[in-house]
Amino acid sequence: MKHAALVLGALLASAPLTARATVFEDGNSAAAPAAAEDAPPPGWDALSPQQQEKLAQLDEAGLQALGGKIDRGEALSDDEKMIAEGLAILMTAEFDGKLNYQTGDIPLGSGLATLHLGTQYRFLGPADARRVIEEAWHNPPGDQPLGMIVPADLSPAHPRGWGVVVSYVEEGHVDDADAASIDYDELLTQMKEATEAENESRKAMGFPAMHLVGWAEPPHYDQARHSLYWAKELGGDEAGENSLNYAVRVLGRKGVLELNAVSGMTQLADIKPEMEKIYGLVEFDSGNRYSDFNPDLDTVAAYGIGGLIAGKIAAKAGLFALLAKGGKFIVLAIVGLFAGIRAWFTRKKE
């Protein structure tokens, strides 16, 4: 089954058809993990009886035909939409089952900081966070983050899922004296130019161009907490929902904790209050707080608040383009998953 791409995410999110599941060119896929003889595929119980029935009747030829219709942008029948929704649910559950979630107080680094997540949020460690960023959201490979914060009740692989990527950059103590004097309109213009320049590198790596549309939330600096937040709207050359990058920067003694929430623009109203909660769950450990700065011992960063927003840290790390989400690039191999479903149906019929 060659290039059978199923654009599934928006069927769940009531948005344009943009998320896709891809098989390899030779028709093969990564092998699905072996399932227990009497166990249905992960996510099966989340399907409606009608979806279960339609999937039971689906064969590989039907799957290929459905993929072809969606690739060509043809309208789907109600039954085809139902099948596509069901496959999206199963693929999300299959991917989610490979992730190792943590809750409660999460230490970051060696005595660097602590996330007080409780039970409302979950944490994914560095390897799992990178898997979500690169495999589920289909971003270019980059430096491994400290981890990712996700909701307790929603997978980051779900079309409506989101996550807060956590990283730390130690390039000195950031002086916040310029916070009140920054012209954010002028800064936005400079950032747009830099984003366009970065597109040459993205294209060379085989990834689509990304464009900075504007502020989704203008920058704000909390002087008392030494924390900064803003949100950007990002669009691409491909059709579909624009991406939202909601950024929080928590200043410490020697560096900055970066928290980037990645979702679709339609989720701005949902993400903003969540980020306001998460904003208060981050705490530098004693000895690494902003107030622990010692001018006789510590280095001062070469940039201030404006540099943080403009992305000088990210540019030095080769990550200026940041991340895409919003259901645009959800990439999962479905042939192995489909084979597992068919095998389970065969056992049930026997």
Side-chain angles (χ1 to χ4, degrees), residues 5-236:
L6 293 179
V7 188
L8 303 173
L11 296 173
L12 294 176
S14 299
L17 295 175
T18 48
R20 62 180 56 185
T22 314
V23 298
F24 300 124
E25 176 143 357
D26 62 2
N28 297 319
S29 71
E37 287 294 319
D38 58 348
W44 183 256
D45 292 342
L47 302 178
S48 69
Q50 292 80 9
Q51 286 173 323
Q52 293 177 356
E53 180 181 358
K54 294 296 181 183
L55 285 172
Q57 298 170 355
L58 184 66
D59 57 18
E60 188 169 341
L63 182 66
Q64 185 173 8
L66 177 60
K69 287 189 66 173
I70 300 176
D71 270 345
R72 293 188 296 271
E74 299 176 10
L76 302 183
S77 68
D78 289 342
D79 282 351
E80 289 169 333
K81 290 180 181 180
M82 184 184 302
I83 292 170
E85 288 181 0
L87 286 170
I89 291 171
L90 294 178
M91 287 188 292
T92 297
E94 193 271 341
F95 184 86
D96 200 48
K98 299 176 182 178
L99 303 177
N100 180 31
Y101 290 107
Q102 306 170 53
T103 58
D105 288 348
I106 308 297
L108 297 176
S110 179
L112 174 66
T114 302
L115 300 175
H116 303 288
L117 299 184
T119 58
Q120 189 174 2
Y121 302 99
R122 298 177 293 176
F123 183 77
L124 293 171
D128 281 339
R130 188 169 184 174
R131 180 177 296 148
V132 171
I133 293 168
E134 296 178 9
E135 296 179 21
W137 297 350
H138 197 40
N139 280 269
D143 291 347
Q144 188 157 273
L146 292 176
M148 178 183 292
I149 303 169
V150 299
D153 57 354
L154 188 62
S155 167
H158 189 281
R160 297 295 294 172
W162 55 272
V164 181
V165 181
V166 183
S167 56
Y168 177 69
V169 177
E170 185 173 313
E171 292 190 342
H173 183 83
V174 177
D175 189 342
D176 61 2
D178 67 333
S181 60
I182 300 172
D183 184 336
Y184 292 121
D185 291 334
E186 180 181 354
L187 183 61
L188 180 63
T189 299
Q190 296 172 358
M191 292 167 62
K192 287 182 177 180
E193 293 173 353
T195 303
E196 293 304 318
E198 182 71 16
N199 277 330
E200 295 305 315
S201 297
R202 289 182 62 87
K203 291 177 181 179
M205 297 171 64
F207 292 90
M210 186 177 293
H211 310 290
L212 175 55
V213 177
W215 299 124
E217 179 73 28
H220 303 272
Y221 182 65
D222 185 334
Q223 185 79 41
R225 301 181 65 174
H226 304 290
S227 297
L228 171 73
Y229 69 90
W230 72 93
K232 298 185 298 185
E233 179 179 357
L234 297 168

Side-chain angles (χ1 to χ4, degrees), residues 240-260:
E241 182 186 4
N242 284 350
S243 295
L244 169 69
N245 281 171
Y246 204 110
V248 170
R249 300 291 183 264
V250 183
L251 279 57
R253 175 182 176 180
K254 299 179 180 180
V256 178
L257 271 173
E258 301 179 340
L259 289 83
N260 292 300

